Amino acid sequence: MKNISQLISTPLTTPPSVLTRYKANLLGYVQITKPGIILGNLISVAGGFLLAAKGDVNVGLMLATLIGLSLVVASGCAVNNCIDRDIDVKMQRTCNRVTATGEASLGSILALAGLLGVAGFWALAYFTNATALLFAAVGYLVYVGFYSLYMKRRSVYGTLVGSFSGAVPPVVGYCAVTGKLDIGAVILLVMFSLWQMPHSYAIAIFRYDDYLAAKIPVLPIAKGMTKAKLHIVLYIAVFALVSSLLPLTGYTGITFMAVTCATSLWWLAMALKGYRQGINLQTWARQVFGFSILTITALSITMALDFQ
């Protein structure tokens, strides 16, 4: 029988409360929708929308577009996590997802993805127009079908295919206002597709061990670091040229031109540092990745304000 001092020194352990478990489960479900990706897409959608609106902003339409596309993106990300659950367990950054740990059932996640997708596509269909809805649907199909189910695991060109779906959000925002595919929408599509490439290759470099363990044939693994660095530089250079088409064709003004030149050239200079002798590629790739986010955020905000 324990004496009083032993009882006092024995730590009290209590099972986690029901509320704590619910919070943990809810957080897990939220994480599989990839909130960071949703936030990034919100900024680009708003940029495309405000560029097309040219100061005449329909707030209701804008909110419907933002919410609708966010739900569609969340649905696609959830389905992607279901598809990738077998490779996620092999990667350090994804092994704790509820799809990888088994804390959430496949059926429940697919049901959530279905609800989000239906709600998102309904909002776009009801409040926007056929062009915006079509781009959202094609982007979803490319991301979930062509990229997640097939290209990601089988081809070095998976990143290129996935870049199209990543470029769809600003086009949806733009077309929600115009209702048509014009030169401005095409420039946005190409511009954001090109941006995706060095952004994704940088991730593949500093997450090299993860992709190698999961046997995903991204460019640094399939073709080597030398080719990956070259492609990063070339894609940034072409991205800079395409971005300048918005002011050159009269969609934005001189402020946008100044911002795109400054950010793109700085990004390009940063990418060229990858050729320095003895450079730490992990650190360099993280810097290229970080500046890619700064670049596209700055351009999205600027084109929203510097419309013509």
Side-chain angles (χ1 to χ4, degrees), residues 8 35 44 47 50 87 102 113 121 126 157 232 250 276 286 297:
I8 293 174
S44 65
L50 294 171
I87 59 177
F121 281 116
Y126 188 82
Y157 299 108
I232 286 175
R276 285 183 177 177
R286 286 184 182 276
T297 301

Side-chain angles (χ1 to χ4, degrees), residues 173-193:
Y174 184 93
C175 291
V177 176
T178 65
K180 61 183 180 180
L181 178 65
D182 60 14
I183 296 299
V186 172
I187 292 172
L188 287 178
L189 184 64
V190 177
M191 169 183 159
F192 277 77
S193 291

Side-chain angles (χ1 to χ4, degrees), residues 198-199 202-203 206 267 284-294:
H199 170 83
I203 296 174
F206 71 77
W267 193 20
W284 167 77
R286 286 184 182 276
Q287 291 173 345
V288 172
F289 163 76
F291 200 80
S292 72
I293 296 175
L294 179 62

Side-chain angles (χ1 to χ4, degrees), residues 132-238:
L133 177 63
L134 177 63
F135 267 100
V138 171
Y140 189 94
L141 177 63
V142 170
Y143 181 65
V144 171
F146 291 99
Y147 173 71
S148 298
L149 280 173
Y150 187 80
M151 295 294 290
K152 180 177 180 178
R153 298 167 184 251
R154 293 174 174 83
S155 175
V156 70
Y157 299 108
T159 306
L160 185 61
V161 172
S163 73
F164 175 85
S165 59
V168 161
V171 181
V172 172
Y174 184 93
C175 291
V177 176
T178 65
K180 61 183 180 180
L181 178 65
D182 60 14
I183 296 299
V186 172
I187 292 172
L188 287 178
L189 184 64
V190 177
M191 169 183 159
F192 277 77
S193 291
L194 289 167
W195 171 83
Q196 293 276 339
M197 300 303 289
H199 170 83
S200 300
Y201 288 154
I203 296 174
I205 290 174
F206 71 77
R207 294 288 186 185
Y208 184 91
D209 291 340
D210 271 355
Y211 285 102
L212 183 63
K215 298 180 180 179
I216 300 174
V218 288
L219 187 65
I221 291 173
K223 301 294 183 178
M225 288 294 182
T226 301
K227 182 160 283 191
K229 288 191 289 184
L230 176 61
H231 279 222
I232 286 175
V233 169
L234 292 177
Y235 273 112
I236 292 175
V238 180

Side-chain angles (χ1 to χ4, degrees), residues 41-63 65-66 169-178 188 192 246 250-253 256 297-308:
N41 284 322
L42 278 174
I43 296 171
S44 65
V45 174
F49 187 99
L50 294 171
L51 173 65
K54 298 181 179 180
D56 183 18
V57 181
N58 183 328
V59 177
L61 176 61
M62 183 175 176
L63 288 175
T65 305
L66 291 172
V171 181
V172 172
Y174 184 93
C175 291
V177 176
T178 65
L188 287 178
F192 277 77
L246 281 178
Y251 286 93
T252 60
F256 183 89
T297 301
L299 294 187
S300 294
I301 294 172
T302 307
M303 71 185 184
L305 301 175
D306 191 34
F307 51 84
Q308 294 294 301

